[in-house]
Amino acid sequence: MPKIYNIYGTDSHAMTLSLLEKIEAANLVPSGANIILKPNLVVAGSPENGATTHAGVLSGCIEYFRENGINDITIAEGSWVGAATLPAMKRAGYDEVCRRYNVKFIDMKHEKTRKVDSPIGPLEVCSLALDAKFLVNLPVLKGHCQTKMTCALKNLKGCLPDREKSRFHALGLTRPIAALGSVIKPGLIIVDSICGDLDFEEGGNPVHTNRMFCGTDPVMIDSYGASLMGLDLFSVPYIGLAEKFGAGTTRFNPEDIINLNEPENAGKYPRPSGRVANLAKNIHEDSACSACYAALIRALHTERKGRGQEIYIGQGWRGKNIPDGALGIGRCCSSAKRNVKGCPPSAKSIAEMF
Ligand code: SF4
């Protein structure tokens, strides 16, 4: 059974290195294989805005694989329809990474494509992605206005020419995203969940989870990502459909999730702003870890019932009285009569307690 490895923190470069070293990722790469790093550069935006993969994820991958004798590494991505990829690449700081490590960046919008069979008929996909001997998918876990969330499976849409991206939308996204998952098989997925947006893939309202996680099964990764965002699989139907199309499994057990460190290592949640601050109006927070607070924000976003409730969260409430009727989040607030267990609990488990 594949596993998922979690790490908390704020330094995407160091976190990436730790994840890769822990899973001994070099052993996954076939001998002599080239590596394509596929980040999310949907629009030209700073990763801190919640849309794009942090440059440190790329530099961490490059350093790790080079240190392990794997030198043929390329970064490749194509922004969404209507946005040019190269400005997005510069805005996210990838030009500096490419310069420093002498790594090529390829705009997949302008690459050769070919049609491949899929469970819903032929899909036109960039040949570079199809021919990569080892593709490392580097999505951002974030909200999406149509599909509710985007993570590993949907990030592969950047491997399509613009005309095919538009056709995916005309087909309603669910079936083609699931089918694409059966056509492009990444060797590894590292999810940047440091500050994915609340509900738009183009960013604007980042939620600071300060977490990254990795695994080899994109369907399992997306199922886990959905639970972190408080979503059940029925509300993100492309995940279950991808399983039916043979792209992976939706099933995972608590013992399949391995934490490399504790949520406290990610530090306290930064002062929320915008829509996130609005959702936080009734929260009594005292030294809450980012992952815990982010789970609560995600739960309040997906389940309106929670918004009028008095909610306590944070290490500062350990062992203190929490008023009757209030909801306590996580192990630190276990003195509350109504307590969501976990450290940190998932957004899904919080939403179920509202
Ligand atoms: S339960 Fe406490 S220690 Fe655990 S993640 Fe939440 S705030 Fe941090």
Side-chain angles (χ1 to χ4, degrees):
M1 185 75 177
K3 305 282 182 206
I4 290 175
Y5 294 82
N6 259 319
I7 188 165
Y8 298 98
T10 54
D11 182 339
S12 55
H13 177 90
M15 291 159 79
T16 303
L17 279 173
S18 297
L19 285 170
L20 292 168
E21 281 160 8
K22 173 69 185 174
I23 65 168
E24 299 182 347
N27 294 337
L28 300 172
V29 183
S31 174
N34 67 317
I35 291 182
I36 300 288
L37 303 177
K38 161 63 181 87
N40 185 319
L41 277 179
V42 59
V43 290
S46 160
E48 294 311 311
N49 209 31
T52 52
T53 308
H54 286 80
V57 181
L58 296 167
S59 58
C61 285
I62 295 165
E63 269 189 24
Y64 170 82
F65 286 118
R66 288 250 170 102
E67 275 166 19
N68 283 276
I70 303 163
N71 292 305
D72 187 353
I73 303 172
T74 305
I75 305 169
E77 164 66 324
S79 296
W80 71 3
V81 176
T85 309
L86 291 185
M89 175 260 200
K90 288 183 184 150
R91 185 79 177 84
Y94 296 4
D95 51 345
E96 169 57 25
V97 172
C98 290
R99 246 193 320 272
R100 192 171 355 129
Y101 295 96
N102 193 24
V103 165
K104 195 170 165 193
F105 181 92
I106 293 179
D107 180 354
M108 281 203 265
K109 279 178 189 257
H110 305 304
E111 280 295 289
K112 281 190 192 143
T113 62
R114 66 174 186 266
K115 293 210 167 164
V116 283
D117 286 338
S118 85
I120 64 161
L123 304 178
E124 187 183 3
V125 180
C126 180
S127 301
L128 185 83
L130 293 171
D131 297 336
K133 295 287 182 283
F134 195 80
L135 185 86
V136 184
N137 188 5
L138 306 170
V140 176
L141 176 64
K142 58 186 168 175
H144 188 276
C145 59
Q146 290 159 288
T147 59
K148 300 268 194 217
M149 67 165 268
T150 164
C151 190
L153 289 163
K154 194 174 169 301
N155 194 42
L156 296 177
K157 203 162 149 274
C159 302
L160 306 175
D162 278 359
R163 58 185 168 271
E164 187 71 340
K165 289 188 190 114
S166 300
R167 194 175 76 92
F168 268 41
H169 281 273
L171 292 172
L173 288 177
T174 294
R175 286 171 57 75
I177 289 171
L180 186 60
S182 71
V183 165
I184 303 178
K185 299 276 179 75
L188 177 64
I189 304 128
I190 305 173
V191 180
D192 180 344
S193 180
I194 290 177
C195 58
D197 192 77
L198 191 58
D199 47 12
F200 291 106
E201 67 172 329
E202 63 268 42
N205 287 292
V207 181
H208 289 264
T209 316
N210 289 335
R211 175 198 331 241
M212 289 177 60
F213 53 99
C214 74
T216 54
D217 181 328
V219 180
M220 190 197 237
I221 286 274
D222 276 14
S223 302
Y224 178 58
S227 76
L228 295 177
M229 291 182 69
L231 299 167
D232 61 41
L233 291 185
F234 296 110
S235 60
V236 196
Y238 69 74
I239 301 176
L241 194 55
E243 181 179 47
K244 286 200 182 108
F245 288 164
T249 179
T250 54
R251 287 176 293 277
F252 62 90
N253 298 311
E255 60 271 21
D256 300 323
I257 312 297
I258 295 158
N259 290 325
L260 270 57
N261 61 1
E262 297 297 321
E264 286 105 308
N265 295 97
K268 194 174 168 324
Y269 195 91
R271 197 178 161 81
S273 59
R275 294 198 58 210
V276 175
N278 204 34
L279 288 169
K281 276 192 298 213
N282 293 329
I283 298 177
H284 302 267
E285 184 270 341
D286 188 348
S287 303
C289 302
S290 301
C292 213
Y293 198 88
L296 174 56
I297 292 296
R298 295 272 180 205
L300 288 166
H301 182 54
T302 53
E303 182 51 81
R304 301 182 74 88
K305 264 192 305 184
R307 295 187 198 170
Q309 299 187 19
E310 296 299 316
I311 301 174
Y312 287 71
I313 184 169
Q315 299 169 65
W317 292 107
R318 276 181 189 148
K320 292 191 182 157
N321 282 337
I322 291 177
D324 283 353
L327 183 64
I329 306 297
R331 192 171 62 199
C332 293
C333 293
S334 57
S335 59
K337 289 202 176 103
R338 293 173 60 226
N339 173 241
V340 186
K341 295 194 175 13
C343 178
S346 68
K348 191 162 180 285
S349 60
I350 297 172
E352 284 165 0
M353 286 288 285
F354 288 154

